[in-house]
Short mmCIF file of all heavy atoms in Angstrom, two decimals:
data_model
loop_
_atom_site.label_atom_id
_atom_site.label_comp_id
_atom_site.label_asym_id
_atom_site.label_seq_id
_atom_site.Cartn_x
_atom_site.Cartn_y
_atom_site.Cartn_z
N SER A 1 1.97 -13.81 8.00
CA SER A 1 2.35 -14.83 7.08
C SER A 1 3.56 -15.66 7.62
O SER A 1 4.40 -15.02 8.33
CB SER A 1 2.78 -14.22 5.69
OG SER A 1 3.39 -15.20 4.91
N PRO A 2 3.77 -16.91 7.38
CA PRO A 2 4.94 -17.62 7.83
C PRO A 2 6.23 -17.19 7.06
O PRO A 2 7.22 -17.50 7.61
CB PRO A 2 4.52 -19.08 7.54
CG PRO A 2 3.52 -19.06 6.43
CD PRO A 2 2.81 -17.79 6.59
N LEU A 3 6.12 -16.46 5.97
CA LEU A 3 7.25 -16.09 5.17
C LEU A 3 7.60 -14.58 5.51
O LEU A 3 6.72 -13.80 5.90
CB LEU A 3 6.88 -16.23 3.58
CG LEU A 3 6.58 -17.60 3.17
CD1 LEU A 3 6.18 -17.48 1.68
CD2 LEU A 3 7.68 -18.56 3.42
N LYS A 4 8.88 -14.34 5.47
CA LYS A 4 9.30 -13.03 5.68
C LYS A 4 8.85 -12.10 4.55
O LYS A 4 8.56 -12.53 3.42
CB LYS A 4 10.79 -12.86 5.85
CG LYS A 4 11.31 -13.56 7.02
CD LYS A 4 12.89 -13.42 7.21
CE LYS A 4 13.38 -14.05 8.53
NZ LYS A 4 14.85 -13.92 8.56
N ALA A 5 8.81 -10.74 4.82
CA ALA A 5 8.31 -9.79 3.75
C ALA A 5 9.18 -9.84 2.52
O ALA A 5 10.43 -9.93 2.67
CB ALA A 5 8.28 -8.38 4.38
N SER A 6 8.53 -9.88 1.43
CA SER A 6 9.28 -9.98 0.16
C SER A 6 9.88 -8.59 -0.18
O SER A 6 9.37 -7.55 0.18
CB SER A 6 8.36 -10.49 -0.94
OG SER A 6 7.31 -9.63 -1.07
N VAL A 7 10.92 -8.61 -1.01
CA VAL A 7 11.52 -7.32 -1.45
C VAL A 7 10.70 -6.72 -2.49
O VAL A 7 9.98 -7.28 -3.30
CB VAL A 7 12.97 -7.59 -1.92
CG1 VAL A 7 12.95 -8.48 -3.17
CG2 VAL A 7 13.74 -6.22 -2.20
N GLY A 8 10.63 -5.38 -2.50
CA GLY A 8 9.85 -4.61 -3.49
C GLY A 8 10.03 -3.11 -3.37
O GLY A 8 10.87 -2.68 -2.46
N LYS A 9 9.38 -2.39 -4.13
CA LYS A 9 9.47 -0.92 -4.01
C LYS A 9 8.47 -0.32 -3.01
O LYS A 9 7.47 -1.01 -2.54
CB LYS A 9 9.15 -0.29 -5.36
CG LYS A 9 7.71 -0.44 -5.81
CD LYS A 9 7.46 0.19 -7.13
CE LYS A 9 5.99 0.08 -7.60
NZ LYS A 9 5.66 0.83 -8.86
N LEU A 10 8.79 0.82 -2.55
CA LEU A 10 7.98 1.56 -1.56
C LEU A 10 6.80 2.28 -2.34
O LEU A 10 6.99 2.83 -3.43
CB LEU A 10 8.76 2.60 -0.85
CG LEU A 10 9.87 2.04 0.10
CD1 LEU A 10 10.63 3.18 0.70
CD2 LEU A 10 9.18 1.30 1.27
N PRO A 11 5.63 2.41 -1.72
CA PRO A 11 4.56 3.14 -2.34
C PRO A 11 4.80 4.69 -2.32
O PRO A 11 5.80 5.09 -1.72
CB PRO A 11 3.30 2.70 -1.53
CG PRO A 11 3.87 2.42 -0.20
CD PRO A 11 5.25 1.83 -0.49
N LYS A 12 3.84 5.40 -2.69
CA LYS A 12 4.05 6.91 -2.73
C LYS A 12 3.97 7.42 -1.28
O LYS A 12 3.34 6.84 -0.39
CB LYS A 12 2.80 7.52 -3.59
CG LYS A 12 2.99 7.25 -5.05
CD LYS A 12 1.94 8.11 -5.81
CE LYS A 12 0.55 7.79 -5.31
NZ LYS A 12 -0.39 8.57 -6.17
N ILE A 13 4.54 8.63 -1.13
CA ILE A 13 4.55 9.27 0.25
C ILE A 13 3.42 10.23 0.30
O ILE A 13 3.15 10.97 -0.70
CB ILE A 13 5.86 10.05 0.50
CG1 ILE A 13 7.03 9.00 0.53
CG2 ILE A 13 5.80 10.86 1.68
CD1 ILE A 13 8.42 9.71 0.58
N ALA A 14 2.68 10.19 1.37
CA ALA A 14 1.50 11.04 1.52
C ALA A 14 1.40 11.59 3.01
O ALA A 14 1.98 10.92 3.87
CB ALA A 14 0.20 10.34 1.17
N PRO A 15 0.81 12.71 3.18
CA PRO A 15 0.70 13.17 4.58
C PRO A 15 -0.27 12.41 5.47
O PRO A 15 -0.26 12.42 6.72
CB PRO A 15 0.15 14.66 4.49
CG PRO A 15 -0.56 14.70 3.13
CD PRO A 15 0.25 13.75 2.25
N ARG A 16 -1.08 11.55 4.81
CA ARG A 16 -2.06 10.70 5.55
C ARG A 16 -2.37 9.42 4.73
O ARG A 16 -2.35 9.52 3.51
CB ARG A 16 -3.40 11.52 5.77
CG ARG A 16 -4.33 10.75 6.60
CD ARG A 16 -5.63 11.62 7.00
NE ARG A 16 -5.17 12.77 7.78
CZ ARG A 16 -6.01 13.71 8.21
NH1 ARG A 16 -7.25 13.52 7.97
NH2 ARG A 16 -5.53 14.68 8.94
N GLN A 17 -2.50 8.44 5.52
CA GLN A 17 -2.67 7.07 4.80
C GLN A 17 -4.08 6.70 4.78
O GLN A 17 -4.77 6.69 5.82
CB GLN A 17 -1.85 5.96 5.47
CG GLN A 17 -1.86 4.70 4.74
CD GLN A 17 -1.14 3.54 5.49
OE1 GLN A 17 -1.69 3.00 6.53
NE2 GLN A 17 0.01 3.06 5.11
N PHE A 18 -4.65 6.29 3.60
CA PHE A 18 -6.05 5.70 3.49
C PHE A 18 -6.00 4.23 3.13
O PHE A 18 -6.82 3.54 3.59
CB PHE A 18 -6.70 6.47 2.39
CG PHE A 18 -6.98 7.95 2.74
CD1 PHE A 18 -6.16 8.92 2.25
CD2 PHE A 18 -8.07 8.34 3.50
CE1 PHE A 18 -6.36 10.25 2.52
CE2 PHE A 18 -8.31 9.61 3.82
CZ PHE A 18 -7.43 10.62 3.36
N THR A 19 -4.97 3.87 2.37
CA THR A 19 -4.83 2.44 2.04
C THR A 19 -3.42 1.91 2.33
O THR A 19 -2.45 2.57 1.79
CB THR A 19 -5.10 2.25 0.56
OG1 THR A 19 -6.44 2.63 0.32
CG2 THR A 19 -5.07 0.76 0.26
N PRO A 20 -3.20 0.92 3.18
CA PRO A 20 -1.92 0.34 3.48
C PRO A 20 -1.35 -0.40 2.25
O PRO A 20 -2.10 -0.95 1.45
CB PRO A 20 -2.13 -0.53 4.60
CG PRO A 20 -3.53 -0.94 4.58
CD PRO A 20 -4.28 0.16 3.93
N PRO A 21 -0.08 -0.45 2.11
CA PRO A 21 0.48 -1.14 0.96
C PRO A 21 0.41 -2.67 1.28
O PRO A 21 0.25 -3.10 2.39
CB PRO A 21 2.05 -0.72 0.93
CG PRO A 21 2.32 -0.35 2.43
CD PRO A 21 0.98 0.21 2.88
N THR A 22 0.42 -3.40 0.19
CA THR A 22 0.37 -4.86 0.28
C THR A 22 1.19 -5.44 -0.87
O THR A 22 1.23 -5.00 -1.99
CB THR A 22 -1.07 -5.41 0.23
OG1 THR A 22 -1.06 -6.79 0.33
CG2 THR A 22 -1.75 -4.87 -1.05
N ALA A 23 1.85 -6.57 -0.55
CA ALA A 23 2.64 -7.31 -1.56
C ALA A 23 1.79 -8.44 -2.15
O ALA A 23 2.11 -8.94 -3.28
CB ALA A 23 3.87 -7.88 -0.91
N VAL A 24 0.76 -8.88 -1.44
CA VAL A 24 -0.09 -9.97 -1.95
C VAL A 24 -1.47 -9.39 -2.20
O VAL A 24 -2.06 -8.89 -1.34
CB VAL A 24 -0.22 -11.04 -0.87
CG1 VAL A 24 -1.18 -12.18 -1.43
CG2 VAL A 24 1.16 -11.72 -0.49
N ILE A 25 -1.91 -9.38 -3.47
CA ILE A 25 -3.08 -8.79 -3.87
C ILE A 25 -4.17 -9.78 -3.70
O ILE A 25 -4.24 -10.76 -4.38
CB ILE A 25 -3.02 -8.31 -5.34
CG1 ILE A 25 -2.03 -7.26 -5.51
CG2 ILE A 25 -4.33 -7.69 -5.81
CD1 ILE A 25 -1.64 -6.82 -6.94
N THR A 26 -5.07 -9.46 -2.77
CA THR A 26 -6.25 -10.40 -2.46
C THR A 26 -7.54 -9.93 -3.25
O THR A 26 -8.49 -10.74 -3.38
CB THR A 26 -6.50 -10.40 -1.01
OG1 THR A 26 -6.73 -9.16 -0.52
CG2 THR A 26 -5.26 -11.07 -0.28
N ASN A 27 -7.52 -8.64 -3.72
CA ASN A 27 -8.76 -8.17 -4.38
C ASN A 27 -8.33 -7.47 -5.65
O ASN A 27 -8.11 -6.22 -5.66
CB ASN A 27 -9.58 -7.17 -3.45
CG ASN A 27 -10.85 -6.70 -4.09
OD1 ASN A 27 -11.29 -7.25 -5.12
ND2 ASN A 27 -11.47 -5.75 -3.56
N PRO A 28 -8.17 -8.16 -6.77
CA PRO A 28 -7.61 -7.63 -7.95
C PRO A 28 -8.53 -6.47 -8.60
O PRO A 28 -8.06 -5.62 -9.37
CB PRO A 28 -7.38 -8.75 -8.89
CG PRO A 28 -8.38 -9.76 -8.45
CD PRO A 28 -8.50 -9.60 -6.96
N GLU A 29 -9.79 -6.61 -8.27
CA GLU A 29 -10.75 -5.67 -9.02
C GLU A 29 -11.61 -4.98 -7.93
O GLU A 29 -12.79 -5.32 -7.66
CB GLU A 29 -11.60 -6.35 -9.92
CG GLU A 29 -10.87 -6.92 -11.23
CD GLU A 29 -11.77 -7.73 -12.17
OE1 GLU A 29 -13.00 -7.73 -11.85
OE2 GLU A 29 -11.28 -8.19 -13.18
N PRO A 30 -10.99 -4.01 -7.16
CA PRO A 30 -11.90 -3.38 -6.17
C PRO A 30 -12.81 -2.36 -6.78
O PRO A 30 -12.68 -1.88 -7.81
CB PRO A 30 -10.80 -2.49 -5.34
CG PRO A 30 -9.63 -2.34 -6.36
CD PRO A 30 -9.70 -3.51 -7.26
N LYS A 31 -13.92 -2.09 -6.00
CA LYS A 31 -15.02 -1.21 -6.53
C LYS A 31 -14.42 0.32 -6.54
O LYS A 31 -14.78 1.04 -7.38
CB LYS A 31 -16.15 -1.29 -5.68
CG LYS A 31 -16.86 -2.67 -5.77
CD LYS A 31 -18.20 -2.56 -4.95
CE LYS A 31 -18.94 -4.01 -5.04
NZ LYS A 31 -20.11 -4.02 -4.29
N LEU A 32 -13.55 0.59 -5.57
CA LEU A 32 -13.03 1.92 -5.48
C LEU A 32 -11.54 1.82 -5.25
O LEU A 32 -11.11 1.45 -4.12
CB LEU A 32 -13.66 2.77 -4.42
CG LEU A 32 -13.06 4.22 -4.23
CD1 LEU A 32 -13.35 5.06 -5.51
CD2 LEU A 32 -13.78 4.78 -2.99
N ALA A 33 -10.80 2.02 -6.36
CA ALA A 33 -9.36 1.74 -6.28
C ALA A 33 -8.75 3.03 -5.57
O ALA A 33 -8.86 4.17 -6.05
CB ALA A 33 -8.77 1.47 -7.60
N VAL A 34 -7.88 2.79 -4.56
CA VAL A 34 -7.19 3.95 -3.93
C VAL A 34 -5.72 3.48 -3.89
O VAL A 34 -5.37 2.36 -3.39
CB VAL A 34 -7.62 4.17 -2.54
CG1 VAL A 34 -6.85 5.32 -1.88
CG2 VAL A 34 -9.18 4.56 -2.57
N ASP A 35 -4.85 4.43 -4.34
CA ASP A 35 -3.39 3.97 -4.34
C ASP A 35 -2.93 3.85 -2.76
O ASP A 35 -3.20 4.69 -1.99
CB ASP A 35 -2.59 5.06 -4.96
CG ASP A 35 -2.90 5.11 -6.45
OD1 ASP A 35 -3.36 4.10 -7.01
OD2 ASP A 35 -2.65 6.26 -7.12
N PRO A 36 -2.08 2.82 -2.58
CA PRO A 36 -1.54 2.76 -1.16
C PRO A 36 -0.42 3.80 -0.95
O PRO A 36 0.29 4.27 -1.89
CB PRO A 36 -0.96 1.32 -1.23
CG PRO A 36 -0.69 1.03 -2.71
CD PRO A 36 -1.69 1.79 -3.42
N THR A 37 -0.32 4.19 0.29
CA THR A 37 0.62 5.19 0.70
C THR A 37 1.29 4.91 1.98
O THR A 37 0.81 4.04 2.74
CB THR A 37 0.02 6.56 0.81
OG1 THR A 37 -1.05 6.50 1.71
CG2 THR A 37 -0.58 7.07 -0.63
N ILE A 38 2.48 5.51 2.27
CA ILE A 38 3.01 5.55 3.62
C ILE A 38 3.24 6.95 4.04
O ILE A 38 3.38 7.84 3.15
CB ILE A 38 4.30 4.67 3.68
CG1 ILE A 38 5.27 5.19 2.64
CG2 ILE A 38 4.03 3.21 3.47
CD1 ILE A 38 6.69 4.57 2.71
N VAL A 39 3.35 7.27 5.30
CA VAL A 39 3.48 8.60 5.82
C VAL A 39 5.02 8.74 6.29
O VAL A 39 5.36 8.15 7.28
CB VAL A 39 2.57 8.81 7.05
CG1 VAL A 39 2.76 10.20 7.66
CG2 VAL A 39 1.15 8.58 6.70
N VAL A 40 5.74 9.43 5.40
CA VAL A 40 7.14 9.62 5.61
C VAL A 40 7.51 11.08 5.27
O VAL A 40 6.84 11.64 4.33
CB VAL A 40 7.99 8.72 4.76
CG1 VAL A 40 9.46 8.96 4.91
CG2 VAL A 40 7.69 7.17 5.13
N GLN A 41 8.40 11.70 5.90
CA GLN A 41 8.82 12.96 5.61
C GLN A 41 9.35 13.05 4.17
O GLN A 41 10.08 12.13 3.71
CB GLN A 41 9.90 13.52 6.62
CG GLN A 41 11.18 12.72 6.70
CD GLN A 41 11.04 11.68 7.78
OE1 GLN A 41 10.03 11.09 7.93
NE2 GLN A 41 12.16 11.43 8.57
N PRO A 42 9.08 14.19 3.48
CA PRO A 42 9.47 14.16 1.99
C PRO A 42 11.00 14.08 1.76
O PRO A 42 11.45 13.56 0.73
CB PRO A 42 8.86 15.46 1.51
CG PRO A 42 7.81 15.84 2.42
CD PRO A 42 8.21 15.33 3.79
#
């Protein structure tokens, strides 16, 4: 994006990531909703 990343909260912490976080929602009604996560020490 030409704009810098916008400020916001961090997603949940998990040992493995399946869905990356996003600030711009491009698919508001996904068929299988999976919460975004990041991999960070607890």
Side-chain angles (χ1 to χ4, degrees):
S1 173
L3 300 177
K4 293 184 178 180
S6 57
V7 65
K9 67 178 181 178
L10 293 173
K12 294 188 300 183
I13 296 173
R16 184 171 298 180
Q17 185 187 73
F18 294 97
T19 301
T22 179
V24 179
I25 300 176
T26 58
N27 186 10
E29 296 180 359
K31 294 182 180 181
L32 180 61
V34 179
D35 292 336
T37 58
I38 55 175
V39 180
V40 176
Q41 59 269 39

